[in-house]
Amino acid sequence: MKQALDLYGTLLRVAIAGNIQYRAAGMVWMLGMVIEPVIYLVVWSAVADSRGESVAGYDARDFAAYYLTFFVLHHLTFTWIMEVFQYRVQQGSLSFELLRPIHPIYADIADNVAYKLVMLVVMIPAAVVIALAFEPRFQPVGWSLALLPIAVVLAFFTRFFLEWGLAMSAFWTTRTTAVNRTYYSIYLFLSGRAAPIALLPAWLSGVAEHLPFYAMIGFPVELALGKLSPERALSGLGVQLVWTLFALGFVAMVWRRAVRRFSAVGG
Amino acid sequence: MNALRLLWVFARVGAMGELAYRANFWLQLLESFLAMGSTLGVVAVVVSQTDSLHGWQPAELVAVVGVYFAILGTINLVIAPSLSQFMQDVREGTLDFTLTKPEDAQLLVSVSNVHVFKLIDVVFGLAVLALATARLGTEVGPVQALAFASALLLGAAIVYSFWIALATMAFWFIRLENVLMIFWMVYGAGRWPLGIYPDWMRWGLTLLVPVAFAVTVPAEALTGRLDAATLGGAALVASFALAGSRLFWRRGLRQYSGASA
Amino acid sequence: MAAPEPNADAPAIRVRALSKTFDVPVRAAGLRSALTSIVKRKTRAVEAVREVSLEVAAGEIVGFLGPNGAGKTTTLKMLAGLLHPSAGQAHVLGFVPQDRQKAFLRQITLVMGQRNQLLWDIPVEDSFERNRAIYRIAPADYRRTVDELSDLLDLGELLDKPVRNLSLGERMKCEVAAALLHTPRILFLDEPTIGLDVTMQRRIREFVADYNRRTGASVLLTSHYMADVEALCKRVVVIHHGRILYDGALSELVQRFASHKTLNLELEEGDEGAGTDLSRYGEVVSSGAGRASLRIPKAETPATTARLLSELPVKDLTVEDPPIEEVIERVFSAEAE
């Protein structure tokens, strides 16, 4: 346990130093992460305005709350593993990492957490600007907020494990771009990014509710806004738990195979 | 004409390079298909909730997406790859080879690299645009077609000037990739008509990153929203942008050769 | 803008008191100075080239020698029109280089051994094709030149390979060919053989010499390899700290600056100079197994040789000039003193 803490402490310190070093690049990423939700926010506010009434229970200020929360929770849960892996495979450093005594996922988690800590400096002002510009309306519900931390942690791990596992597929196929693009296209609709999933056609939102994409971000956002009934909140947490375990098993399996393949082929 | 001649030679050479990796064609096809599919998908979700967005009907929104992709493809076809090549050349000192060539240096760096497979985006964009226009059912008369073509050309000229100005900064600053990334992120706002954005964003999208001129103005031309004043304004902006970026480029080149020192 | 007609008798390159000063930003370490430097940039003037004057005749091959940072490449770049001189004038083929007139650029070429202009991912011949278009070479001329060059440089099967699949030497041969497609009259070669193996170096050298013979083009060459300079250049220009230290024949450089000669001795069997202290005669560079090398001041060479022959059982004795690298090094250290 002590060793594990030491390992994480060291990894985190190195990662924070690295992230401060590349703060310019980090800020640009951040800007990108502000712009996209803002575009969707503007679009949906315009829709609400055009209809002159709320859309599936959201008016313009509800959308503002939805996308502001989305922005914050996305920052807490997103990963860039899939882009990074492609690069790692091209550079050949993936094979190298397979030989290290510690699982590379530790360093990745540390790096992710470090980035998020460093970027809070930019993220908080960005969130304030969005809030001032779009005047979100929050109607928080106590029990719902209390469950939020659990939902965020589950969301983080679901996403992290799933994307890490998918990214590992780069080891078998060199066409990772195709995998990534397809993944993000599905994610765009089924996670609640393009629109709250309640706005999708009924059959699609019914499917989406049970898939990991919604568990990764749409569900925690709706939970934070108090949009969910207790039953749906609990079933949502259940879905998250199932996907986290699934993703964990997925990573473990992919990793074992990668190591076996590597030692067989020898890189 | 000289520009077109060189562009043709470079495109041919670039095409031969890319055709060697035929798998990339399929990859690009999938990529373009997914990008176009998801953008149209979002439009579909939006129009399932409303008949018109700030006065833009569904088919008109689709037309905007078409223009967006046509311009996006054009940037990725020649402007972006050439100018990233240029920035790399400045960093690595290989720009010297370009500067010892008996041809205008700005022209050479602007067309030096052509990614032909990006034409798929242009084709997709134009196809979607054609479908949307057919769906609109409005007569696209010769005047409108001409206005659209000129608006598109002016938009491309403004975007090009913007890029060359950005790239010219490489003479002073080494790392510009981040600045270019900002362009891409902001350009994504052009998938929607500019009218839906709040005023302060609209200014940014018109002046800081010329999304308005690149996408919305041509789309307005096609959907009969464009007045002569806006088109004239676009022409004025385009001329200033071209001339200004040219001057800036010369200034950068003087900096590079130490002429001012 | 009338292009000046080059006069056949005029020197191909004429340089008068050419200088280049760079403003290099200086910044002390630390956050404070980082912040002040945003407002007020401090710069320091670095004189890379100081009042260089020289003339190069048509058809001449001149080698530029000097340590890193001596100003060789800066001079070359000014002559190729890439850098504006801070003072002085240069005329190349009657043109002012920094005006970068097309007629001028069409007649020069630049090869940099450490950088390539060929496109990485596409076959060599496609890169050639690009240059054909840029220089507007007539198809018939182009075909003939390519055939000639591939003959001379043995490019044959390299032409349809992508550049990334070529070895360094093969790539350099193609680089040189690409730079000569438009049959330039002035060649600026900056370290053209750097990193190549000995055979390939010789190959490139022979080719340059041959091109110079056939076309009468002038060649300005910088190189770290003395073999390049010895093989190609009758005339060398030694530059150090931006100044010309020597401009003249290579042979005379050795005469003028070599202060020592090397004596190689071979002694009779059995008597390996045992008990003899060779350092009495001069600085011992190496000795053992009946052989020895001594470094003797030039003026004392005859006397020392005579002494050695009379006092020791010498089987063989040769007198050599020191290697040219050593001479050059001496020129630089002499200047520093």
Side-chain angles (χ1 to χ4, degrees), chain A residues 23 25 29 69 79 133 151 156 168 213 233 239 261:
Chain A
R23 56 191 178 278
W29 266 83
T69 313
T79 85
F156 175 82
M168 267 309 269
F213 308 99
V239 170
R261 182 189 149 94

Side-chain angles (χ1 to χ4, degrees), chain A residues 98-154:
Chain A
L98 286 172
L99 290 174
R100 286 194 180 164
I102 64 163
H103 201 298
I105 204 168
Y106 293 121
D108 284 339
I109 293 178
D111 191 40
N112 192 302
V113 172
Y115 171 83
K116 287 169 176 180
L117 285 177
V118 172
M119 281 303 138
L120 280 180
V121 184
V122 193
M123 218 220 46
I124 293 168
V128 170
V129 170
I130 299 180
L132 288 176
F134 295 100
E135 301 171 351
R137 183 190 316 112
F138 288 101
Q139 292 154 314
V141 178
W143 63 265
S144 192
L145 276 183
L147 289 178
L148 184 62
I150 306 173
V152 170
V153 170
L154 286 174

